[in-house]
Amino acid sequence: MAKSLEIIKDPNLILRNISVDFDRAKINSKASKSLFLDMAKTMIENDGLGLAAPQIGLNIRVIVINTPEGTLCMINPVITKKSFAKEIGEEGCLSIPKVFGEVARHKKISCKFITDENRNAKIEASGMIARAIQHEIDHLDGILFKDKAKNLKIEKTKKK
Ligand code: CO
């Protein structure tokens, strides 16, 4: 059974480290499978649009994204193409509770990654999914949305 993990809150150095590539040889291990499932459950239970491994205390390049089609697990994600055009949208973060702000992100991106079944994959994304992927990949590089946000504000209930 997947379990919901504790989420690391800002400020914490783990959120500021550069995460290392996940060892592909380990993707099919039992421990990895349950890690990916636990990350998905942690994201869903906390009503997040995405979650990055540093947020659960691991400096490895693994993220999960909450899409209408279900959880997308992306291992060693790399943005290979981004639109020149950016779009401003409101963001929050499970590691920075109740804080929201406007962040400019590339409207469209292409991203290559490895799936949780150890396959090479590529996604072209726009809108909220593109935003979520950019936000989560920033986490892997020790960057938080508040570093880039304008008009930071504190609120009670909003999607993270
Ligand atoms: Co975040």
Side-chain angles (χ1 to χ4, degrees), residues 57-71:
L58 298 172
N59 283 125
I60 52 174
R61 301 188 82 86
V62 178
I63 64 175
V64 287
I65 304 289
N66 197 348
T67 83
E69 288 83 40
T71 300

Side-chain angles (χ1 to χ4, degrees), residues 90-109:
E90 192 176 67
E91 292 184 20
C93 181
L94 294 176
S95 292
I96 315 172
K98 295 180 183 173
V99 175
F100 298 87
E102 289 166 4
V103 184
R105 301 283 188 190
H106 298 284
K107 262 183 159 168
K108 288 184 188 170
I109 56 166

Side-chain angles (χ1 to χ4, degrees), residues 14 35 39 51-63 140:
I14 291 173
L35 169 67
M39 282 182 66
L51 185 78
Q55 293 181 277
I56 49 125
L58 298 172
N59 283 125
I60 52 174
R61 301 188 82 86
V62 178
I63 64 175
L140 305 182

